Amino acid sequence: MPLFPDHLLNDALAFLRRVSGAEPADARRLLGDLRAGYPDVPMRLVWQRDHPGGSHHYDLLIPAPDGTVSVAFAPARAVPWPLRGSHGAGEQVVVRVDGVDVRMEQAMAVLDGLWGDSSTAARLVNAALVEQELEREPVELSAEELQEAMDAFRRSRGLLTVRATRDWMAERGLDHASLEMIVHQEAAIARLRRRVAADGAAELFAADPGDHDRLCVVRLRYPHLEAARAAAGRLRDRARPGSGPLAPAAGKDAAETRGQTFPKAAEEARAETFAKVAEESFEYGADVRPALVYRRELGPDAVGAGAGEVLGGGPEPLVTCVLEVRPAVLDDETRRAIENRVFDDWLARRRAEASVEWMWGTARRTGSVTRALRTPDGSRGASATSLAAGG
């Protein structure tokens, strides 16, 4: 029984010769033609670049029943793939300072904090899982879609002029082709997120709209838990009577009035809260930060919380004062937030099933991190929105 369909390997070699010298974005697009001819054969294109500005070497990976077949083509005067590792001692050097090399193992020792923060490890694993999914079901962008994505990418980073964009690229050692790759990756991840979430955002919102109320809050972080608990007590003791949520007025929907006060009472409550927060900062050393968050982000203590209420006393040295509640609306921002949550849950399930093999670190440390990655909250701080490079 033949290992592959007739002509597959010949067509694969023809494809690799065709993409020799091409940029990855073009090579990925051309791979679509080969995939169309063999829709039942999974294929993955990988590449390596010798140095910035150098050409790309491509390898096509094709799964077989008992392994993987790697197909490659090296044009004239290029170094074949198997020989590249034979003279690449410099590949282990991360940086050279005054003629002294800092090698990979030394850099990893400096980055020892990775093993104490599973969110960093989760970002690495998430990126690999997303790349795998996009290889399985690629996202193609038209020239117009890529330009729209590029414009959005620049706006989000304040790169509003050609000079600002060029300076930003120079700081990161990027040429235009590399920038297009980063933008394409970011747009592809957004498409994948929508694909995973499908049309479930409206359904999840309708199931519990209160989860998506937006709360204007002030967060006070203290040096230790005892200080935060004492602060929560002080703030609650001094809470202004009647500054919390009011019952819905007759004939009004609960969503219109959830957690709100009358305008004058709300204004007075905010002024008093700011005065109390300032005292906590000056007298007790609290780190004070305002934020606009969804109710569900604050945990079960925030269910039904209204303006003027104080949340705290949990496992973190953190106290939260609610200034205002904005009833939930399924707008674009809320839809994206729900899609991100669905995508993060999807990534958590994929991490739990993935085979993760660390190439450095002790077995005790890598095992601990891998176990953390397999728990539902193992990606805390590793949002799917931060997967694309170049930010």
Side-chain angles (χ1 to χ4, degrees):
M1 181 178 178
L3 192 61
F4 295 117
D6 293 342
H7 309 300
L8 172 59
L9 294 181
N10 282 338
D11 289 348
L13 280 171
F15 160 75
L16 289 167
R17 293 182 66 182
R18 186 181 179 189
V19 300
S20 178
E23 291 296 328
D26 296 325
R28 278 197 305 259
R29 178 176 51 80
L30 294 171
L31 180 60
D33 297 336
L34 181 62
R35 281 187 168 128
Y38 302 91
D40 298 327
V41 179
M43 305 176 194
R44 183 181 180 193
L45 187 67
V46 296
W47 58 85
Q48 180 186 39
R49 196 177 195 181
D50 292 333
H51 55 83
S55 62
H56 293 82
H57 174 90
Y58 293 98
D59 230 55
L60 189 64
L61 306 182
I62 307 174
D66 54 351
T68 300
V69 173
S70 174
V71 185
F73 172 75
R77 294 183 298 278
V79 180
W81 179 271
L83 298 179
R84 293 189 172 214
S86 64
H87 59 87
E91 294 175 1
Q92 293 298 316
V93 177
V94 178
V95 63
R96 182 173 289 125
V97 181
D98 290 339
V100 178
D101 291 345
V102 177
R103 300 177 65 81
M104 180 62 73
E105 59 268 24
Q106 295 170 279
M108 291 305 101
V110 173
L111 297 176
D112 188 64
L114 169 67
W115 306 119
D117 180 6
S118 62
S119 68
T120 305
R123 280 194 291 272
L124 294 173
V125 174
N126 286 349
L129 292 172
V130 166
E131 181 181 352
Q132 183 184 75
E133 185 68 18
L134 290 175
E135 286 286 350
R136 190 176 67 83
E137 292 190 39
V139 170
E140 302 297 340
L141 298 178
S142 66
E144 294 76 13
E145 289 172 328
L146 182 59
Q147 186 59 56
E148 289 177 7
M150 179 70 76
D151 294 342
F153 182 92
R154 291 176 58 189
R155 283 195 304 271
S156 68
R157 289 159 176 79
L159 307 176
L160 305 181
T161 65
V162 173
R163 176 64 182 273
T165 303
R166 287 176 176 168
D167 290 346
W168 185 90
M169 292 167 61
E171 288 174 2
R172 291 156 178 79
L174 300 174
D175 56 19
H176 187 73
S178 300
L179 178 61
E180 282 195 352
M181 280 185 59
I182 292 171
V183 172
H184 186 283
Q185 181 190 31
E186 201 169 84
I189 291 171
R191 289 272 189 93
L192 175 60
R193 182 168 53 246
R194 289 195 293 272
R195 183 195 302 166
V196 169
D199 298 323
E203 183 178 340
L204 287 172
F205 178 86
D208 193 350
D211 265 4
H212 300 95
D213 288 341
R214 289 186 182 129
L215 275 60
C216 300
V217 302
V218 177
R219 286 171 162 159
L220 299 89
R221 184 169 291 276
Y222 292 83
H224 48 79
L225 189 58
E226 292 75 11
R229 288 176 175 168
R234 282 193 302 272
L235 290 166
R236 288 190 182 112
D237 288 344
R238 296 172 55 195
R240 179 176 173 272
S243 62
L246 298 179
K252 285 203 171 187
D253 185 87
E256 293 183 53
T257 56
R258 182 171 48 244
Q260 296 189 76
T261 64
F262 292 120
K264 184 177 180 180
E267 184 178 341
E268 293 174 354
R270 280 197 296 271
E272 290 191 11
T273 298
F274 279 126
K276 291 182 286 186
V277 164
E279 182 178 340
E280 289 294 318
S281 176
F282 294 134
E283 299 296 330
Y284 299 97
D287 177 29
V288 177
R289 301 197 179 188
L292 179 62
V293 300
Y294 288 103
R295 186 185 294 276
R296 68 179 305 275
E297 296 177 46
L298 299 176
D301 288 347
V303 174
E309 296 197 32
V310 177
L311 311 176
E316 291 189 76
L318 186 68
V319 177
T320 301
C321 297
V322 181
L323 301 178
E324 179 187 352
V325 176
R326 301 177 184 177
V329 177
L330 187 57
D331 53 14
D332 289 343
E333 183 178 348
T334 299
R335 188 180 296 275
R336 282 194 299 270
I338 296 174
E339 288 178 352
N340 284 338
R341 177 169 36 128
V342 173
F343 192 46
D344 286 343
D345 291 343
W346 176 80
L347 281 170
R349 292 193 298 272
R350 292 293 301 272
R351 284 197 310 273
E353 300 167 356
S355 172
V356 179
E357 182 182 4
W358 296 100
M359 299 305 170
W360 83 94
T362 65
R364 178 179 63 82
R365 287 187 163 188
T366 58
S368 173
V369 169
T370 301
R371 285 191 296 274
L373 294 181
R374 300 193 190 285
T375 62
D377 61 348
S379 64
R380 184 172 296 172
S383 169
T385 58
S386 64
L387 288 172

